[in-house]
Amino acid sequence: MSRTRELWERVPAPVVDLALVVAAAVDVWLNLWDDTRLGVALATLGCAALAFRRRFPLGVFLLTLPLALTQDVAVAPVVALFTLAERSRNRPLLAVCVALTAVANSTPWPLASLTEVGRTMTLILFVYGLATAAAPVLLGQLIQARGDLARRLVEIEEVREHERALHAQAVLARERAQLAREMHDVVSHQVSLIAVRAGALQVATKDADAKEAARTIRSLSVTTLDELRTMVTLLRASGGRATELTPQPTLADLRKLVESSGTQVELTGELPPAVGTPAQRALYRTVQEALTNVRKHAPGATACVELWQDGDDVGVTVTNTPPTRPSLSLPGSQQGLVGLRERADLLHGALESGPSEEGGYRVRLRIPLSTD
């Protein structure tokens, strides 16, 4: 049944209308009763009108009434009634049309023979005409109701899909809130302890190098806490009210990052003012991650941060010397470099990293200057 319906819906509407016109014409030719010039003209007009049944259903029905009156045919009036019932929601109008069709089918033609048929036979023909005319109207209304039901089901499915999306957002909001609590309770507590111990060491120690190292640790801990609070605020946001974000780092903050890195770093080169904000952020995060890796994996090494422009591309190269002291065993998952590569891909750039010829390590980011 579904296959048949699909095949029927693929047939073009003009082809269907033409086939109905031909069927109505064949019906008139087989059952021609009034072969006068007037009868043939009314029959031709009623059959040809079916070609416009989709645009003017009521007008086409009215043009088929004379055909139903003058000829003993069924195709044209039934098709006109069906089309009108399928496209109209005016039930009183449909009832009047059914009655008119029954009258036209039961009235003898020519009218002079009305007395010869008799009232009883005319009444029987009228009742039969009512039943015949009511059938296409009921079928048209059924198809109309089926279409309304299908559209309603589509709307219900869209509402359910929207409800599922809202439920998923609510679950995500709960998970974000739980993650925010975990980050705040665990990470912030430990980082706060690091900052406190570093502050105490800075006050107690007499060694200048140790004092500077403690100051750097405390400064980095405070900065980490600030960023952690921002992340917690973002995670707790459920999407209803806009969350005010802290300013994102740009190239103007690069010198401050270098000075607070806890590593001897040389910053060289400069970039044009036309570098977009996303590109500036990517450059900053690359330097930040590279210097963090230097502190973790190359103790005592020095680093060089070089900003450069090559045609339509800009970039940064961070190179460090070999370590002078054994590195401590610190946890690392290489996720930092993975994140930098993903950021570079989003900006249509490239990130290269690997050992340098001098035995150190080099990280190089290249991104288009025109990135917005």
PDB file of all heavy atoms in Angstrom, residues 80-98:
ATOM      1  N   ALA A  80     -15.281  16.408  -9.713  1.00  0.00           N
ATOM      2  CA  ALA A  80     -15.410  17.788  -9.248  1.00  0.00           C
ATOM      3  C   ALA A  80     -15.803  17.838  -7.773  1.00  0.00           C
ATOM      4  O   ALA A  80     -15.261  18.647  -6.989  1.00  0.00           O
ATOM      5  CB  ALA A  80     -16.429  18.527 -10.107  1.00  0.00           C
ATOM      6  N   LEU A  81     -16.741  17.000  -7.365  1.00  0.00           N
ATOM      7  CA  LEU A  81     -17.145  16.959  -5.959  1.00  0.00           C
ATOM      8  C   LEU A  81     -15.991  16.506  -5.053  1.00  0.00           C
ATOM      9  O   LEU A  81     -15.778  17.058  -3.967  1.00  0.00           O
ATOM     10  CB  LEU A  81     -18.326  16.007  -5.801  1.00  0.00           C
ATOM     11  CG  LEU A  81     -19.731  16.639  -5.845  1.00  0.00           C
ATOM     12  CD1 LEU A  81     -20.784  15.550  -5.734  1.00  0.00           C
ATOM     13  CD2 LEU A  81     -19.903  17.653  -4.727  1.00  0.00           C
ATOM     14  N   PHE A  82     -15.257  15.494  -5.479  1.00  0.00           N
ATOM     15  CA  PHE A  82     -14.139  14.992  -4.688  1.00  0.00           C
ATOM     16  C   PHE A  82     -13.073  16.072  -4.483  1.00  0.00           C
ATOM     17  O   PHE A  82     -12.566  16.264  -3.377  1.00  0.00           O
ATOM     18  CB  PHE A  82     -13.538  13.765  -5.372  1.00  0.00           C
ATOM     19  CG  PHE A  82     -12.228  13.328  -4.774  1.00  0.00           C
ATOM     20  CD1 PHE A  82     -12.203  12.598  -3.596  1.00  0.00           C
ATOM     21  CD2 PHE A  82     -11.025  13.662  -5.380  1.00  0.00           C
ATOM     22  CE1 PHE A  82     -10.990  12.209  -3.035  1.00  0.00           C
ATOM     23  CE2 PHE A  82      -9.819  13.275  -4.829  1.00  0.00           C
ATOM     24  CZ  PHE A  82      -9.797  12.542  -3.649  1.00  0.00           C
ATOM     25  N   THR A  83     -12.730  16.781  -5.549  1.00  0.00           N
ATOM     26  CA  THR A  83     -11.718  17.839  -5.446  1.00  0.00           C
ATOM     27  C   THR A  83     -12.171  18.947  -4.515  1.00  0.00           C
ATOM     28  O   THR A  83     -11.394  19.446  -3.685  1.00  0.00           O
ATOM     29  CB  THR A  83     -11.418  18.409  -6.840  1.00  0.00           C
ATOM     30  OG1 THR A  83     -11.042  17.349  -7.721  1.00  0.00           O
ATOM     31  CG2 THR A  83     -10.300  19.436  -6.772  1.00  0.00           C
ATOM     32  N   LEU A  84     -13.451  19.341  -4.641  1.00  0.00           N
ATOM     33  CA  LEU A  84     -13.976  20.392  -3.773  1.00  0.00           C
ATOM     34  C   LEU A  84     -13.965  19.944  -2.309  1.00  0.00           C
ATOM     35  O   LEU A  84     -13.594  20.719  -1.408  1.00  0.00           O
ATOM     36  CB  LEU A  84     -15.385  20.760  -4.208  1.00  0.00           C
ATOM     37  CG  LEU A  84     -16.068  21.873  -3.414  1.00  0.00           C
ATOM     38  CD1 LEU A  84     -15.290  23.183  -3.519  1.00  0.00           C
ATOM     39  CD2 LEU A  84     -17.504  22.064  -3.890  1.00  0.00           C
ATOM     40  N   ALA A  85     -14.347  18.703  -2.036  1.00  0.00           N
ATOM     41  CA  ALA A  85     -14.370  18.204  -0.662  1.00  0.00           C
ATOM     42  C   ALA A  85     -12.965  18.064  -0.085  1.00  0.00           C
ATOM     43  O   ALA A  85     -12.755  18.264   1.115  1.00  0.00           O
ATOM     44  CB  ALA A  85     -15.084  16.855  -0.624  1.00  0.00           C
ATOM     45  N   GLU A  86     -12.010  17.741  -0.934  1.00  0.00           N
ATOM     46  CA  GLU A  86     -10.632  17.579  -0.461  1.00  0.00           C
ATOM     47  C   GLU A  86      -9.989  18.918  -0.084  1.00  0.00           C
ATOM     48  O   GLU A  86      -9.128  18.970   0.794  1.00  0.00           O
ATOM     49  CB  GLU A  86      -9.795  16.879  -1.544  1.00  0.00           C
ATOM     50  CG  GLU A  86      -8.374  16.561  -1.112  1.00  0.00           C
ATOM     51  CD  GLU A  86      -7.546  16.025  -2.258  1.00  0.00           C
ATOM     52  OE1 GLU A  86      -7.951  16.229  -3.438  1.00  0.00           O
ATOM     53  OE2 GLU A  86      -6.504  15.411  -2.000  1.00  0.00           O
ATOM     54  N   ARG A  87     -10.444  20.006  -0.729  1.00  0.00           N
ATOM     55  CA  ARG A  87      -9.788  21.296  -0.548  1.00  0.00           C
ATOM     56  C   ARG A  87     -10.620  22.295   0.245  1.00  0.00           C
ATOM     57  O   ARG A  87     -10.123  23.372   0.568  1.00  0.00           O
ATOM     58  CB  ARG A  87      -9.449  21.892  -1.919  1.00  0.00           C
ATOM     59  CG  ARG A  87      -8.430  21.051  -2.675  1.00  0.00           C
ATOM     60  CD  ARG A  87      -8.221  21.523  -4.095  1.00  0.00           C
ATOM     61  NE  ARG A  87      -7.217  20.685  -4.745  1.00  0.00           N
ATOM     62  CZ  ARG A  87      -5.919  20.942  -4.763  1.00  0.00           C
ATOM     63  NH1 ARG A  87      -5.475  22.040  -4.174  1.00  0.00           N
ATOM     64  NH2 ARG A  87      -5.070  20.142  -5.353  1.00  0.00           N
ATOM     65  N   SER A  88     -11.833  22.000   0.546  1.00  0.00           N
ATOM     66  CA  SER A  88     -12.700  22.941   1.258  1.00  0.00           C
ATOM     67  C   SER A  88     -13.003  22.423   2.662  1.00  0.00           C
ATOM     68  O   SER A  88     -13.150  21.213   2.872  1.00  0.00           O
ATOM     69  CB  SER A  88     -14.007  23.144   0.493  1.00  0.00           C
ATOM     70  OG  SER A  88     -14.887  23.974   1.227  1.00  0.00           O
ATOM     71  N   ARG A  89     -13.110  23.365   3.616  1.00  0.00           N
ATOM     72  CA  ARG A  89     -13.489  23.023   4.989  1.00  0.00           C
ATOM     73  C   ARG A  89     -14.885  23.555   5.335  1.00  0.00           C
ATOM     74  O   ARG A  89     -15.291  23.530   6.492  1.00  0.00           O
ATOM     75  CB  ARG A  89     -12.454  23.581   5.969  1.00  0.00           C
ATOM     76  CG  ARG A  89     -11.056  23.022   5.751  1.00  0.00           C
ATOM     77  CD  ARG A  89     -10.071  23.577   6.765  1.00  0.00           C
ATOM     78  NE  ARG A  89      -8.733  23.092   6.501  1.00  0.00           N
ATOM     79  CZ  ARG A  89      -8.255  21.920   6.927  1.00  0.00           C
ATOM     80  NH1 ARG A  89      -9.044  21.121   7.662  1.00  0.00           N
ATOM     81  NH2 ARG A  89      -7.027  21.541   6.640  1.00  0.00           N
ATOM     82  N   ASN A  90     -15.583  24.041   4.342  1.00  0.00           N
ATOM     83  CA  ASN A  90     -16.915  24.594   4.539  1.00  0.00           C
ATOM     84  C   ASN A  90     -17.946  23.470   4.400  1.00  0.00           C
ATOM     85  O   ASN A  90     -18.370  23.116   3.297  1.00  0.00           O
ATOM     86  CB  ASN A  90     -17.176  25.701   3.513  1.00  0.00           C
ATOM     87  CG  ASN A  90     -18.410  26.515   3.829  1.00  0.00           C
ATOM     88  OD1 ASN A  90     -19.318  26.054   4.532  1.00  0.00           O
ATOM     89  ND2 ASN A  90     -18.456  27.728   3.312  1.00  0.00           N
ATOM     90  N   ARG A  91     -18.320  22.882   5.538  1.00  0.00           N
ATOM     91  CA  ARG A  91     -19.249  21.753   5.503  1.00  0.00           C
ATOM     92  C   ARG A  91     -20.628  22.139   4.946  1.00  0.00           C
ATOM     93  O   ARG A  91     -21.204  21.370   4.161  1.00  0.00           O
ATOM     94  CB  ARG A  91     -19.401  21.173   6.919  1.00  0.00           C
ATOM     95  CG  ARG A  91     -18.090  20.672   7.521  1.00  0.00           C
ATOM     96  CD  ARG A  91     -17.578  19.448   6.799  1.00  0.00           C
ATOM     97  NE  ARG A  91     -16.288  19.023   7.286  1.00  0.00           N
ATOM     98  CZ  ARG A  91     -16.082  18.301   8.393  1.00  0.00           C
ATOM     99  NH1 ARG A  91     -17.122  17.950   9.150  1.00  0.00           N
ATOM    100  NH2 ARG A  91     -14.879  17.924   8.750  1.00  0.00           N
ATOM    101  N   PRO A  92     -21.231  23.270   5.318  1.00  0.00           N
ATOM    102  CA  PRO A  92     -22.517  23.634   4.702  1.00  0.00           C
ATOM    103  C   PRO A  92     -22.440  23.757   3.185  1.00  0.00           C
ATOM    104  O   PRO A  92     -23.365  23.355   2.468  1.00  0.00           O
ATOM    105  CB  PRO A  92     -22.864  24.967   5.364  1.00  0.00           C
ATOM    106  CG  PRO A  92     -22.149  24.939   6.681  1.00  0.00           C
ATOM    107  CD  PRO A  92     -20.869  24.214   6.406  1.00  0.00           C
ATOM    108  N   LEU A  93     -21.351  24.324   2.680  1.00  0.00           N
ATOM    109  CA  LEU A  93     -21.191  24.435   1.238  1.00  0.00           C
ATOM    110  C   LEU A  93     -21.151  23.060   0.587  1.00  0.00           C
ATOM    111  O   LEU A  93     -21.770  22.832  -0.472  1.00  0.00           O
ATOM    112  CB  LEU A  93     -19.909  25.208   0.914  1.00  0.00           C
ATOM    113  CG  LEU A  93     -19.516  25.294  -0.566  1.00  0.00           C
ATOM    114  CD1 LEU A  93     -20.583  26.059  -1.355  1.00  0.00           C
ATOM    115  CD2 LEU A  93     -18.150  25.941  -0.739  1.00  0.00           C
ATOM    116  N   LEU A  94     -20.435  22.120   1.204  1.00  0.00           N
ATOM    117  CA  LEU A  94     -20.367  20.767   0.653  1.00  0.00           C
ATOM    118  C   LEU A  94     -21.742  20.097   0.666  1.00  0.00           C
ATOM    119  O   LEU A  94     -22.100  19.378  -0.281  1.00  0.00           O
ATOM    120  CB  LEU A  94     -19.358  19.935   1.451  1.00  0.00           C
ATOM    121  CG  LEU A  94     -17.895  20.390   1.373  1.00  0.00           C
ATOM    122  CD1 LEU A  94     -17.020  19.528   2.265  1.00  0.00           C
ATOM    123  CD2 LEU A  94     -17.406  20.337  -0.066  1.00  0.00           C
ATOM    124  N   ALA A  95     -22.527  20.342   1.719  1.00  0.00           N
ATOM    125  CA  ALA A  95     -23.884  19.768   1.770  1.00  0.00           C
ATOM    126  C   ALA A  95     -24.755  20.319   0.645  1.00  0.00           C
ATOM    127  O   ALA A  95     -25.513  19.575   0.005  1.00  0.00           O
ATOM    128  CB  ALA A  95     -24.508  20.055   3.135  1.00  0.00           C
ATOM    129  N   VAL A  96     -24.652  21.612   0.375  1.00  0.00           N
ATOM    130  CA  VAL A  96     -25.416  22.224  -0.724  1.00  0.00           C
ATOM    131  C   VAL A  96     -24.982  21.635  -2.062  1.00  0.00           C
ATOM    132  O   VAL A  96     -25.819  21.346  -2.936  1.00  0.00           O
ATOM    133  CB  VAL A  96     -25.250  23.747  -0.696  1.00  0.00           C
ATOM    134  CG1 VAL A  96     -25.864  24.371  -1.951  1.00  0.00           C
ATOM    135  CG2 VAL A  96     -25.902  24.333   0.556  1.00  0.00           C
ATOM    136  N   CYS A  97     -23.673  21.439  -2.236  1.00  0.00           N
ATOM    137  CA  CYS A  97     -23.177  20.881  -3.501  1.00  0.00           C
ATOM    138  C   CYS A  97     -23.668  19.449  -3.705  1.00  0.00           C
ATOM    139  O   CYS A  97     -24.011  19.047  -4.834  1.00  0.00           O
ATOM    140  CB  CYS A  97     -21.652  20.926  -3.523  1.00  0.00           C
ATOM    141  SG  CYS A  97     -20.967  22.604  -3.592  1.00  0.00           S
ATOM    142  N   VAL A  98     -23.709  18.664  -2.619  1.00  0.00           N
ATOM    143  CA  VAL A  98     -24.242  17.302  -2.724  1.00  0.00           C
ATOM    144  C   VAL A  98     -25.712  17.334  -3.142  1.00  0.00           C
ATOM    145  O   VAL A  98     -26.158  16.571  -4.014  1.00  0.00           O
ATOM    146  CB  VAL A  98     -24.072  16.564  -1.385  1.00  0.00           C
ATOM    147  CG1 VAL A  98     -24.851  15.242  -1.397  1.00  0.00           C
ATOM    148  CG2 VAL A  98     -22.598  16.286  -1.112  1.00  0.00           C
TER     149      VAL A  98
END
